[in-house]
Amino acid sequence: MSTYQVSLLPGDGIGPEVTEATKSVLDATGINFDWEYCDAGLNALEKHGELLPEATLDSIRKNGIGLKGPITTPIGEGFRSVNVGLRHALELYVNLRPGKTIKGVQSTFEDIDLIVVRENMEDIYAGVEFDTGTPEAAEVIEAINAKSQKKIASDAAISIKMITPEGSRRIVRFAFAYARQNNRKLVTAVHKANIMKFSDGLFLQVAQEVAQEYPDIEFNDRIVDNMCMQLMQKPEQYDVMVMPNLYGDIVSDMVAGMVGGLGVAPGGNIGKDAAVFEPIHGSAPTHAGKNVANPVAMLLSGAMMLRHLGERDAAERVEGAVAKVIGEGTQVTYDLRADRDQSKAASTTEMANAIIAAM
Ligand code: NAD
């Protein structure tokens, strides 16, 4: 049996605890992993003087696959989010976020099975920004006002929204290919092309073109506000949704909320040459070092990684064991208990061990 070399980024806060729990479950699947530990976040800042060392990026480039815990973004001048830095440095243009109901997790909705495919590199999140009152902003405003009928106020702060045909094509193609591979029936493009006729209009036009390449998959589109309302009213009518960065950020959190929140929401950042899987939640600093954090989001991210590696059977065993332990409801962390009683809850390690026993 082959061994997978995986870059493992425990991160900080609760990251190292949920990472160790996940590692123990993934090792128990019988698949051979050679884990390459990499620093990122506060531990990297202390050791190497930078949040995202080049050695960490090199490890992921070499292995082509990474599993990452959450990382705190320090508050202060000059700190860019490590998560955004990582996605840009490795061109991980897909953010894949499934939202699937797990019986036993408290949530308002039942039987949800949705996939959000979020574009990860472009849109208003690309980082092209000019602060209010700066000479750079003044120059940009002057140049735009010379060309545009609508005028921008001289003291405006500016963030540029940019959408390219190539960026749109590759993300929509990913969504259709994912739908085909995973026996999904429908892809919905989400946009606001009625208002942003050029940027979102381009995204929609490209999505319509790409849909022609996949006649076996149904296609429709929704304006983002209507999409949110429809997800609240008739989520069963939707399947795979693909959208630009900002809408994807918001809609994917909404879908995570529909299935019970951050503790159970996994994600993957995928590019042409590398993929990094990580939970959606942050480093939850108040819980750090207490062995109380819920390992499920990270574990399900690990299962997504197994699927990405083609280890579907092992992925299903992990997901099945997670569902079983949550369904039984005794060996679960405090946040999965109705009473949220810490004294009756399982620790992170105890829950991971129960999951291993259930595999
Ligand atoms: P958070 O996700 O860390 O916490 C939000 C709430 O959820 C808190 O009440 C927390 O205790 C709880 N929570 C989160 N994960 C949990 C788990 N596994 N088990 C039990 N409870 C859990 O979000 P935040 O407080 O906004 O952010 C904290 C830090 O994390 C910030 O520095 C932020 O920048 C960073 N962050 C990192 C990532 C990432 O690395 N991908 C994502 C989001 C936030």
Side-chain angles (χ1 to χ4, degrees):
M1 194 202 282
S2 58
T3 298
Y4 295 106
Q5 280 214 328
V6 176
S7 305
L8 190 64
L9 288 67
D12 52 51
I14 58 168
E17 298 156 63
V18 292
T19 299
E20 281 312 305
T22 297
K23 182 172 159 284
S24 67
V25 173
L26 294 181
D27 282 334
T29 60
I31 309 271
N32 293 325
F33 291 103
D34 180 2
W35 304 103
E36 211 167 277
Y37 277 83
C38 301
D39 293 323
L42 296 180
N43 54 15
L45 189 65
E46 270 170 34
K47 272 202 228 166
H48 312 282
E50 51 185 338
L51 287 169
L52 184 58
E54 199 55 34
T56 295
L57 291 171
D58 283 343
S59 165
I60 304 171
R61 284 190 190 105
K62 171 174 70 73
N63 295 328
I65 193 108
L67 184 61
K68 175 186 158 297
I71 289 173
T72 305
T73 303
I75 297 167
E77 283 288 311
F79 288 119
R80 205 170 162 220
S81 156
V82 173
N83 305 303
V84 176
L86 191 70
R87 290 167 198 165
H88 278 262
L90 300 171
E91 216 171 322
L92 306 176
Y93 65 92
V94 181
N95 189 200
L96 181 63
R97 291 196 182 183
K100 196 168 190 303
T101 300
I102 305 174
K103 294 263 179 287
V105 176
Q106 289 170 54
S107 61
T108 328
F109 292 83
E110 282 172 9
D111 299 324
I112 298 294
D113 187 5
L114 294 164
I115 303 287
V116 177
V117 177
R118 165 189 173 190
E119 203 286 326
N120 234 357
M121 313 283 297
E122 303 198 326
D123 196 3
I124 209 149
Y125 280 28
V128 183
E129 297 200 285
F130 302 94
D131 203 358
T132 178
T134 57
E136 293 78 16
E139 251 181 74
V140 172
I141 290 166
E142 196 186 358
I144 292 174
N145 284 349
K147 299 279 179 198
S148 167
Q149 289 199 334
K150 287 256 179 203
K151 302 299 177 205
I152 301 177
S154 60
D155 57 353
I158 309 231
S159 303
I160 303 285
K161 171 171 168 119
M162 55 186 153
I163 302 242
T164 65
E166 300 73 33
S168 304
R169 189 161 287 114
R170 67 179 177 178
I171 193 72
V172 178
R173 279 203 177 124
F174 178 92
F176 274 97
Y178 181 92
R180 194 178 265 174
Q181 264 167 23
N182 293 279
N183 294 321
R184 300 226 166 217
K185 306 276 176 283
L186 169 69
V187 171
T188 303
V190 182
H191 59 87
K192 190 81 185 173
N194 55 331
I195 304 293
M196 281 163 279
K197 293 191 186 343
F198 299 139
S199 50
D200 281 17
L202 175 61
F203 181 82
L204 175 59
Q205 185 201 322
V206 170
Q208 287 163 339
E209 285 166 17
V210 171
Q212 308 284 322
E213 298 168 16
Y214 296 84
D216 50 319
I217 310 284
E218 230 186 291
F219 172 75
N220 60 17
D221 71 274
R222 293 287 178 268
I223 293 171
V224 61
D225 39 348
N226 183 27
M227 180 83 255
C228 291
M229 189 178 71
Q230 298 223 4
L231 282 176
M232 292 299 106
Q233 290 187 318
K234 37 191 170 185
E236 68 286 353
Q237 291 189 4
Y238 295 92
D239 192 350
V240 176
M241 295 168 284
V242 60
M243 59 201 88
N245 210 334
L246 172 64
Y247 312 141
D249 194 6
I250 298 166
V251 173
S252 60
D253 263 34
M254 199 174 90
V255 170
M258 290 167 77
V259 299
L262 289 173
V264 294
N269 298 290
I270 303 168
K272 193 163 68 62
D273 303 317
V276 176
F277 294 86
E278 61 173 339
I280 288 173
H281 64 68
S283 55
T286 54
H287 295 325
K290 296 180 183 158
N291 199 21
V292 298
N294 183 354
V296 167
M298 181 94 182
L299 260 167
L300 294 179
S301 306
M304 283 177 77
M305 181 186 83
L306 286 171
R307 257 175 226 283
H308 184 81
L309 293 169
E311 299 289 352
R312 191 174 279 255
D313 173 62
E316 280 170 9
R317 273 187 287 135
V318 172
E319 288 161 353
V322 165
K324 186 161 180 262
V325 169
I326 291 179
E328 285 167 1
T330 49
Q331 291 295 307
V332 296
T333 48
Y334 79 96
D335 57 306
L336 292 172
R337 294 180 58 89
D339 58 10
R340 293 180 85 85
D341 187 342
Q342 185 69 68
S343 68
K344 295 186 191 142
S347 67
T348 309
T349 327
E350 282 164 347
M351 185 168 182
N353 289 339
I355 290 166
I356 291 170
M359 273 200 308

mmCIF file of all heavy atoms in Angstrom, residues 35 81 100 104 140 193 259 297 318 333:
data_model
loop_
_atom_site.group_PDB
_atom_site.id
_atom_site.type_symbol
_atom_site.label_atom_id
_atom_site.label_comp_id
_atom_site.label_asym_id
_atom_site.label_seq_id
_atom_site.Cartn_x
_atom_site.Cartn_y
_atom_site.Cartn_z
ATOM 1 N N TRP A 35 3.287 12.173 7.934
ATOM 2 C CA TRP A 35 2.890 13.557 8.240
ATOM 3 C C TRP A 35 4.115 14.445 8.323
ATOM 4 O O TRP A 35 5.033 14.151 9.092
ATOM 5 C CB TRP A 35 2.129 13.621 9.571
ATOM 6 C CG TRP A 35 0.921 12.745 9.634
ATOM 7 C CD1 TRP A 35 0.800 11.552 10.273
ATOM 8 C CD2 TRP A 35 -0.360 13.001 9.028
ATOM 9 N NE1 TRP A 35 -0.478 11.044 10.115
ATOM 10 C CE2 TRP A 35 -1.212 11.914 9.354
ATOM 11 C CE3 TRP A 35 -0.877 14.031 8.249
ATOM 12 C CZ2 TRP A 35 -2.534 11.829 8.927
ATOM 13 C CZ3 TRP A 35 -2.196 13.954 7.823
ATOM 14 C CH2 TRP A 35 -3.004 12.866 8.161
ATOM 15 N N SER A 81 -4.072 38.020 6.771
ATOM 16 C CA SER A 81 -4.508 36.695 7.196
ATOM 17 C C SER A 81 -3.647 35.611 6.542
ATOM 18 O O SER A 81 -3.408 35.627 5.338
ATOM 19 C CB SER A 81 -5.969 36.515 6.809
ATOM 20 O OG SER A 81 -6.267 35.162 6.679
ATOM 21 N N LYS A 100 -23.830 19.211 5.137
ATOM 22 C CA LYS A 100 -24.654 18.002 5.160
ATOM 23 C C LYS A 100 -25.149 17.775 6.586
ATOM 24 O O LYS A 100 -24.359 17.836 7.537
ATOM 25 C CB LYS A 100 -23.799 16.809 4.702
ATOM 26 C CG LYS A 100 -24.587 15.583 4.323
ATOM 27 C CD LYS A 100 -23.641 14.605 3.622
ATOM 28 C CE LYS A 100 -24.295 13.451 2.970
ATOM 29 N NZ LYS A 100 -25.116 12.553 3.603
ATOM 30 N N GLY A 104 -28.425 14.187 15.019
ATOM 31 C CA GLY A 104 -27.924 14.345 16.387
ATOM 32 C C GLY A 104 -27.306 15.706 16.619
ATOM 33 O O GLY A 104 -27.129 16.116 17.761
ATOM 34 N N VAL A 140 -6.421 57.346 -7.895
ATOM 35 C CA VAL A 140 -7.368 56.381 -8.469
ATOM 36 C C VAL A 140 -8.722 57.060 -8.693
ATOM 37 O O VAL A 140 -9.342 56.912 -9.749
ATOM 38 C CB VAL A 140 -7.517 55.145 -7.542
ATOM 39 C CG1 VAL A 140 -8.632 54.231 -8.013
ATOM 40 C CG2 VAL A 140 -6.211 54.377 -7.473
ATOM 41 N N ALA A 193 -25.928 39.876 -11.147
ATOM 42 C CA ALA A 193 -25.646 40.432 -12.478
ATOM 43 C C ALA A 193 -26.663 41.488 -12.893
ATOM 44 O O ALA A 193 -26.408 42.256 -13.815
ATOM 45 C CB ALA A 193 -25.600 39.304 -13.509
ATOM 46 N N VAL A 259 -26.746 23.457 9.054
ATOM 47 C CA VAL A 259 -26.493 22.073 9.470
ATOM 48 C C VAL A 259 -25.900 21.983 10.871
ATOM 49 O O VAL A 259 -25.431 20.935 11.280
ATOM 50 C CB VAL A 259 -25.599 21.316 8.453
ATOM 51 C CG1 VAL A 259 -26.267 21.254 7.103
ATOM 52 C CG2 VAL A 259 -24.216 21.932 8.344
ATOM 53 N N ALA A 297 -15.212 19.170 12.831
ATOM 54 C CA ALA A 297 -15.012 19.942 11.597
ATOM 55 C C ALA A 297 -13.663 19.603 10.972
ATOM 56 O O ALA A 297 -13.542 19.445 9.747
ATOM 57 C CB ALA A 297 -15.105 21.432 11.885
ATOM 58 N N VAL A 318 -14.747 7.126 8.084
ATOM 59 C CA VAL A 318 -14.589 8.235 9.041
ATOM 60 C C VAL A 318 -15.929 8.959 9.225
ATOM 61 O O VAL A 318 -16.389 9.185 10.349
ATOM 62 C CB VAL A 318 -13.501 9.236 8.564
ATOM 63 C CG1 VAL A 318 -13.490 10.481 9.448
ATOM 64 C CG2 VAL A 318 -12.127 8.575 8.555
ATOM 65 N N THR A 333 -18.365 16.351 22.513
ATOM 66 C CA THR A 333 -17.879 17.547 23.215
ATOM 67 C C THR A 333 -19.076 18.423 23.628
ATOM 68 O O THR A 333 -20.182 18.278 23.092
ATOM 69 C CB THR A 333 -16.903 18.334 22.328
ATOM 70 O OG1 THR A 333 -17.474 18.498 21.037
ATOM 71 C CG2 THR A 333 -15.571 17.618 22.208
#
